[in-house]
Amino acid sequence: MNSVTRYDAIVVGGGVVGCLTARELTRLGARVLVLEAKSDVAAGTTAANSGIVHAGFDAETGTNKAKLNVRGSAMMPNLTRDLSVRYRQIGALVTAKGDEGLRGLEVLLERGRKNGVAGLSIVRGEKLRALEPNLSPELDCALLAETSGIVCPYGLAIAAMGNAMDNGAVLLRNTPVVSIETVEGGYLVNATYFAPAVIDAAGLAAHKVAALAGVTGLSQHPRRGEYLLLDRNCGSVVSHTVFTLPTKAGKGILVSPTADGNLLLGPTAEDLPEGADCAVTTAGQGKIVAAAKKMVPSVPLGGRITSFSGLRAVGESGDFEITKRGGFIALTGIESPGLSAAPAIAELIGETLGEAGLLPEKPMANFNPVRTVVRPKEMTDAERDALIRRDPAYGRIVCRCEEVSEGEIRDALRQNPPALTLDGIKRRTRAMMGRCQGGFCTPSLLSLVSRERKIDETEVKKNEGESYIAHERTKGGN
Ligand SMILES: Cc1cc2nc3c(=O)[nH]c(=O)nc-3n(C[C@H](O)[C@H](O)[C@H](O)COP(=O)(O)OP(=O)(O)OC[C@H]3O[C@@H](n4cnc5c(N)ncnc54)[C@H](O)[C@@H]3O)c2cc1C
């Protein structure tokens, strides 16, 4: 029989919800274990979404989506500051035209106010043009949401997990949860880990994980959203996140700067059966281009550098579903605005477990909420100069497109949770995310990973499974 390791809480899934939950429960004094099926955190839906911190006017008043979005959005400025995550409150504009469009905006305005969203107003004519000079002249009115922001979604999840680990949480990657047995006083996971509380934050697979614990009847399906990403020199075409009026299928296609300064177009919304993948399609890309041009006719499509897609976990109720059975909490239907709401979902789970007497009586006395990341590019010349004198690795540029230094790659391979793959490095540093998409820096990265992790270059993976970059050595020596 396996020996059993005991924790206060086990979190299944290292997406943004699981990582922030792990951090919050650690802050509350719990010994936390996170089990993630993939080789890294933030590799599921959290890796591929719009990265918008929605203000909270879209969801129906009184729903979990509305309450948790508004609270999560309010938490985001302090949270991202503590965790050194890129976030900017740039505001959003929901654009429309004519009397019918205006009526749609008024409905959103009213709902937003009921949801408790501050900074909402309708703008028209010259004021709208002044806010977004490149907007189509066809669009004559918009709802301005001043508190809407943009955040690096995987950056937030990685930082939250790293901070939880710095404070004592344990992360096991490449560890899918395959069994959950209800035992005296709690749950036995994979016949190896015991805790009185289990939080199922497994995203698209959350209903299946819940079924392992005997919580049946939950169902979800994937809704794919495709994107087109444009180079950083296109990022200033708009200065707000620009939407059109939302529909039942979602918030529609947007044109927005990203937290890292690119321009993002998308997403589409395509309901698919379980097991669907993150493909991109000609039809989907065509829809994005047409919708983006309608909003911003001068959108510089020549600047496109890549396309990608993500899968939303859509539940039956259309709301975030939080199902508690004893010490087991399943989170299903965490589609958009799940990223915006994630800090508030984590807070709610902490309160729920606390009220159930499943957490230690006192929060961790010496919890350190701060995680720092060295980013030479964001420093002044004088600061960067001093940094490079102290540590010359920060002066050796590896990724030219995104100006990422060897020192930052090394940090990504050492700092909690250390990157294990090239995609892990990419999400932590932005190396390979620029115009050449890794064409230039991949060989240098292979050498750095090999050196840091003390593995052969042929053992370095891009992400999951057998995704080795170098198949075999074709020449002798180095
Ligand atoms: C196209 C699109 C656009 C979106 N835009 C926005 C937006 O602009 N703003 C916003 O607020 N929200 C947005 N969202 C929603 C947001 O991205 C999600 O709500 C959020 O990322 C969900 O995070 P999660 O942690 O629940 O799931 P995930 O990130 O999917 O994490 C779940 C994790 O569980 C792991 N897992 C699965 N099964 C197991 C198992 N058996 N054992 C262990 N681990 C397991 C997975 O590998 C994964 O890492 C968007 C989503 C999509 C798809």
Side-chain angles (χ1 to χ4, degrees):
M1 195 174 132
N2 291 342
S3 69
V4 171
T5 318
R6 300 177 75 88
Y7 294 88
D8 295 319
I10 295 174
V11 177
V12 185
V16 69
V17 174
C19 292
L20 281 164
T21 300
R23 177 178 186 262
E24 175 64 1
L25 298 183
T26 304
R27 189 187 73 78
L28 292 172
R31 284 166 300 143
V32 177
L33 171 68
V34 178
L35 298 172
E36 167 53 52
K38 294 194 177 178
S39 61
D40 202 2
V41 298
T45 302
T46 299
N49 55 68
S50 308
I52 310 298
V53 179
H54 293 290
F57 52 78
D58 184 32
E60 291 295 339
T61 308
T63 58
N64 285 333
K65 276 186 176 176
K67 286 184 272 193
L68 295 166
N69 181 167
V70 175
R71 171 74 185 138
S73 163
M75 293 166 82
M76 212 55 91
N78 286 345
L79 178 67
T80 50
R81 190 202 52 222
D82 281 351
L83 294 176
S84 305
V85 175
R86 293 185 182 99
Y87 163 79
R88 279 189 294 144
Q89 209 169 69
I90 60 170
L93 285 168
V94 183
T95 58
K97 64 177 179 183
D99 290 343
E100 203 188 327
L102 186 60
R103 277 196 296 279
L105 297 180
E106 281 164 353
V107 171
L108 287 184
L109 175 69
E110 183 57 27
R111 194 189 300 158
R113 287 185 174 153
K114 274 195 203 150
N115 290 354
V117 181
L120 293 177
S121 58
I122 288 181
V123 285
R124 309 179 70 170
E126 285 309 303
K127 191 166 176 206
L128 178 57
R129 294 296 132 220
L131 287 174
E132 283 302 347
N134 291 325
L135 206 62
S136 162
E138 296 259 296
L139 300 165
D140 55 13
C141 49
L143 175 70
L144 171 65
E146 291 170 16
T147 60
S148 181
I150 47 178
V151 70
C152 176
Y154 36 86
L156 178 58
I158 290 166
M161 191 66 241
N163 184 239
M165 291 167 81
D166 292 344
N167 284 288
V170 176
L171 167 69
L172 295 179
R173 288 175 274 188
N174 296 308
T175 310
V177 167
V178 292
S179 70
I180 303 175
E181 199 185 329
T182 307
V183 293
E184 175 75 36
Y187 302 87
L188 188 60
V189 177
N190 288 1
T192 308
Y193 313 104
F194 169 87
V198 172
I199 298 89
D200 166 13
L204 277 163
H207 59 303
K208 292 185 188 162
V209 170
L212 294 177
V215 180
T216 52
L218 298 171
S219 86
Q220 309 181 104
H221 74 269
R223 180 177 293 156
R224 186 162 60 202
E226 294 186 35
Y227 291 95
L228 242 169
L229 187 74
L230 275 60
D231 199 5
R232 275 192 289 126
N233 60 14
C234 310
S236 55
V237 170
V238 290
S239 53
H240 299 77
T241 300
V242 179
F243 298 97
T244 48
L245 278 168
T247 65
K248 265 195 159 177
K251 297 174 191 67
I253 286 171
L254 56 81
V255 177
S256 180
T258 68
D260 295 303
N262 295 79
L263 188 72
L264 188 66
L265 316 180
T268 53
E270 189 186 355
D271 286 301
L272 294 166
E274 206 162 316
D277 61 16
C278 285
V280 286
T281 62
T282 312
Q285 299 289 298
K287 266 187 204 161
I288 296 170
V289 169
K293 276 183 156 176
K294 261 191 178 172
M295 283 183 275
V296 183
S298 61
V299 63
L301 292 168
R304 69 177 91 178
I305 55 175
T306 192
S307 49
F308 62 92
S309 77
L311 298 170
R312 309 163 179 91
V314 181
E316 292 214 327
S317 67
D319 198 4
F320 296 157
E321 295 159 355
I322 302 168
T323 309
K324 182 174 177 302
R325 299 271 189 284
F328 186 91
I329 302 179
L331 300 166
T332 48
I334 312 295
E335 52 170 323
S336 187
L339 168 65
S340 320
I345 297 175
E347 184 180 64
L348 178 68
I349 289 168
E351 285 165 7
T352 308
L353 293 180
E355 280 162 18
L358 291 169
L359 290 179
E361 277 180 10
K362 286 188 182 158
M364 183 190 262
N366 54 353
F367 179 83
N368 178 4
V370 175
R371 180 182 191 262
T372 48
V373 179
V374 179
R375 294 198 187 104
K377 207 171 131 187
E378 293 173 11
M379 294 176 173
T380 62
D381 286 353
E383 286 167 345
R384 195 164 44 235
D385 192 44
L387 173 74
I388 294 169
R389 279 176 202 283
R390 272 200 314 276
D391 187 344
Y394 289 113
R396 291 194 285 273
I397 295 297
V398 177
C399 166
R400 290 187 190 176
C401 302
E402 295 293 316
E403 295 163 59
V404 182
S405 66
E406 185 185 314
E408 291 161 273
I409 308 288
R410 179 201 58 202
D411 294 349
L413 289 158
R414 291 185 187 173
Q415 196 170 15
N416 277 331
L420 301 176
T421 62
L422 289 198
D423 277 1
I425 292 178
K426 178 159 105 174
R427 291 192 200 105
R428 284 161 180 76
T429 65
R430 290 194 53 77
M432 299 171 283
M433 281 203 178
R435 199 174 299 172
C436 87
Q437 292 284 295
F440 177 78
C441 61
T442 300
S444 315
L445 290 169
L446 278 185
S447 304
L448 289 172
V449 176
S450 157
R451 190 179 79 195
E452 272 293 320
R453 295 196 54 215
K454 298 185 176 45
I455 56 175
D456 192 75
E457 286 169 5
T458 55
E459 292 172 64
V460 179
K461 290 184 186 181
K462 174 166 165 42
N463 45 46
E464 309 304 314
E466 305 277 300
S467 61
Y468 300 105
I469 310 286
H471 179 57
E472 61 182 346
R473 287 188 181 278
T474 53
K475 290 180 186 164
N478 293 320

